[in-house]
Amino acid sequence: MNKFLFCGGMGARAPQKALSWFSSFNLSRSVHSIPFATVEVEEISGSQPAEVHNLVQGKWKGSSTWNTILDPLNGEPFIKVAEVDETGVQPFVESLSKCPKHGVHNPFKAPERYLLLGDISVKAAHMLSLPKVSDFFTRLIQRVAPKSYHQAHAEVYVTQKFLENFSGDQVRFLARSFAVPGNYLGQQSHGFRWPYGPVAIITPFNFPLEIPVLQLMGALYMGNKPILKVDSKVSIVMEQMMRLLHYCGLPVDDVDFINSDGKTMNKILLEANPRMTLFTGSSRVAEKLAVDLKGRIRLEDAGFDWKILGPDVQEEDYVAWVCDQDAYACSGQKCSAQSMLFMHENWSKTSLISKLKDLAERRKLEDLTIGPVLTFTTEAMLEHMNKLLQIPGSKLLFGGEPLKNHSIPSIYGALKPTAVYVPLQEIMKENTYELVTREIFGPFQIITDYKTEQLPMVLDALERMHAHLTAAVVSNDPLFLQEVIGQTVNGTTYAGLRARTTGAPQNHWFGPAGDPRGAGIGTPEAIKLVWSCHREIIYDFGPVPRQWEIPPST
């Protein structure tokens, strides 16, 4: 606590206010352990369903339409989400429309808000560091997007560290400008980071806290007014986080929070005309929005992510463990999950595959190291697997069976961690490439092998892929790394013996490359790229030279 007060009470702005905030929190803890929370995680059930509301123009509101969310582990209707339909969009449209293009704040307008948001980040980071609060969000994430406690807690931890990174003066440092001398006395050009004003954020189910918080705070830091939509299956997590942010001092009208289906959200975007929309989700929806919004969009869409094991075999147990984590943690429901593994023939001669099989078989539903797949049914995944097994030379390496002894509802998937081997030559054929590289957002991967002289064929396979999010080149051979990295494009690429495709922390860029619409997350560069644009102000004060005369027309 002392360390936090040292960091959070910096300067003479408002030390007494900060202390009183902590005092009020400590007092309220004795009355209610989590003062902002409106749900008890363990009590959410079919008999005591939780409710999720909308926030618009500073007020929490219900709806005439409630969407019932089924518990992904037992099928009980355990959450009721107040969903806005197309008849109820007007308050959200009006709220966004009230925000001018120059934003809520910018370097010339309300600069004190940079300080306010830095202070809010301090307090929110501290709240997430408290064991009771951290555990609350970890367990809430597990209820709606079942994953192991470790995986869910990592999401909370990354969010906390991100908020610490942008505490205090770090928010105003995002708006740092630069100046260039002019051609004569009195002239200077200044470059500024400028907000878009009204913006929209649409985020998926798989990271209910981390993705929306990091993008939302980035949007706020730069001076924008966001409307936030999170997948309704998991939006309860972000609703509670919004209440935490309000508790930490965020003005209630800074953000609108909406629950709706895609059609309704599309109507809001077309009518409110936000200056920028951040979309994280499927490629199909991303491409539709790019057209509807006339390109005013940033995307972090699907990722068919690959890993190459180079010729230098070492640390077999460690490499196998990382491969298992990359492919099957969170039941493979990460946009960075390992979708295809290319093994050098030297690795094919080891016991790597049998070790992958053993590691996959350790995963069990009881501790959620394997669990429900929320966007693919069991039947759909098995159908895809059977199509792959019709390719000449392909074979099932492990898995390929439904989970047993569970009550996961049939609208979701329940599959054992699965790997299918497909020969490289077959992958490259025109009639099989699209099938093999179809992203299955679940515990499913393709494994193949290659000889040294086939590396150009592997690189050609990577060149033909459409999504370029994460990748891993597992090798400590500098010449091999140089060749692969130099001929690939994935925006977040890990290289070296310990390379992975998943587990991105808050301390480096995460996002795709090769697409001018690509979004980033987590770093100052990502925030400035996604949530601000460049504005140049050229000062030209004079003086006008003595004896100046009007020159001839030109």
Side-chain angles (χ1 to χ4, degrees), residues 493-549:
T493 300
Y494 298 88
L497 176 65
R498 301 185 65 176
R500 62 190 194 273
T501 65
T502 66
Q506 73 296 330
N507 62 305
H508 68 63
W509 165 281
F510 183 84
D515 187 337
R517 304 167 302 176
I521 190 171
T523 63
E525 293 77 18
I527 292 171
K528 287 184 276 190
L529 173 78
V530 174
W531 294 116
S532 68
C533 56
H534 181 86
R535 185 181 187 189
E536 194 84 1
I537 310 277
I538 298 90
Y539 290 107
D540 209 339
F541 295 115
V544 175
R546 291 181 180 179
Q547 301 176 345
W548 180 87
E549 296 179 356

Side-chain angles (χ1 to χ4, degrees), residues 182-235:
N183 293 335
Y184 45 77
L185 183 63
Q187 187 186 69
Q188 277 189 343
S189 60
H190 290 247
F192 295 93
R193 299 311 300 178
W194 215 255
Y196 290 104
V199 299
I201 304 168
I202 304 172
T203 63
F205 74 91
N206 56 331
F207 286 89
L209 184 72
E210 181 182 337
I211 294 176
V213 172
L214 269 59
Q215 294 292 15
L216 173 67
M217 297 308 291
L220 289 170
Y221 293 155
M222 300 312 295
N224 302 291
K225 165 65 183 282
I227 180 172
L228 171 64
K229 178 195 174 332
V230 181
D231 188 314
S232 291
K233 292 190 291 292
V234 301
S235 60

Side-chain angles (χ1 to χ4, degrees), residues 277-279 286-287 289-290 297-301 512 515 517-519:
T277 294
L278 179 281
F279 176 80
E287 294 301 332
L289 286 174
I297 194 166
R298 289 282 183 180
L299 304 175
E300 192 217 299
D301 54 355
D515 187 337
R517 304 167 302 176

Side-chain angles (χ1 to χ4, degrees), residues 154-212:
E155 190 175 337
V156 180
Y157 178 79
V158 166
T159 305
Q160 174 209 330
K161 301 308 287 185
F162 168 85
L163 290 167
E164 288 179 359
N165 287 348
F166 293 98
S167 295
D169 287 325
Q170 295 305 316
V171 176
R172 64 169 144 196
F173 290 162
L174 289 170
R176 189 191 305 270
S177 60
F178 64 85
V180 177
N183 293 335
Y184 45 77
L185 183 63
Q187 187 186 69
Q188 277 189 343
S189 60
H190 290 247
F192 295 93
R193 299 311 300 178
W194 215 255
Y196 290 104
V199 299
I201 304 168
I202 304 172
T203 63
F205 74 91
N206 56 331
F207 286 89
L209 184 72
E210 181 182 337
I211 294 176

Side-chain angles (χ1 to χ4, degrees), residues 431-468:
N431 60 338
T432 58
Y433 184 83
E434 290 299 323
L435 173 66
V436 173
T437 57
R438 181 191 176 201
E439 184 185 21
I440 300 296
F441 212 56
F444 197 100
Q445 66 170 321
I446 304 295
I447 296 180
T448 191
D449 52 11
Y450 69 98
K451 300 179 186 297
T452 298
E453 61 270 20
Q454 290 178 309
L455 181 59
M457 189 184 302
V458 172
L459 296 173
D460 185 44
L462 306 182
E463 177 70 18
R464 289 168 61 182
M465 291 180 184
H466 302 299
H468 305 290

Side-chain angles (χ1 to χ4, degrees), residues 312 475-485:
D312 46 326
S475 174
N476 279 348
D477 180 339
L479 297 181
F480 181 83
L481 291 174
Q482 185 171 282
E483 184 170 6
V484 174
I485 294 172

Side-chain angles (χ1 to χ4, degrees), residues 105 176 190 198 206 267 282 296 315 361 368 378 440 443 451 457:
H105 65 266
R176 189 191 305 270
H190 290 247
N206 56 331
K267 181 180 176 67
S282 78
R296 293 192 302 274
E315 301 291 351
E361 290 175 349
L368 295 179
T378 306
I440 300 296
K451 300 179 186 297
M457 189 184 302

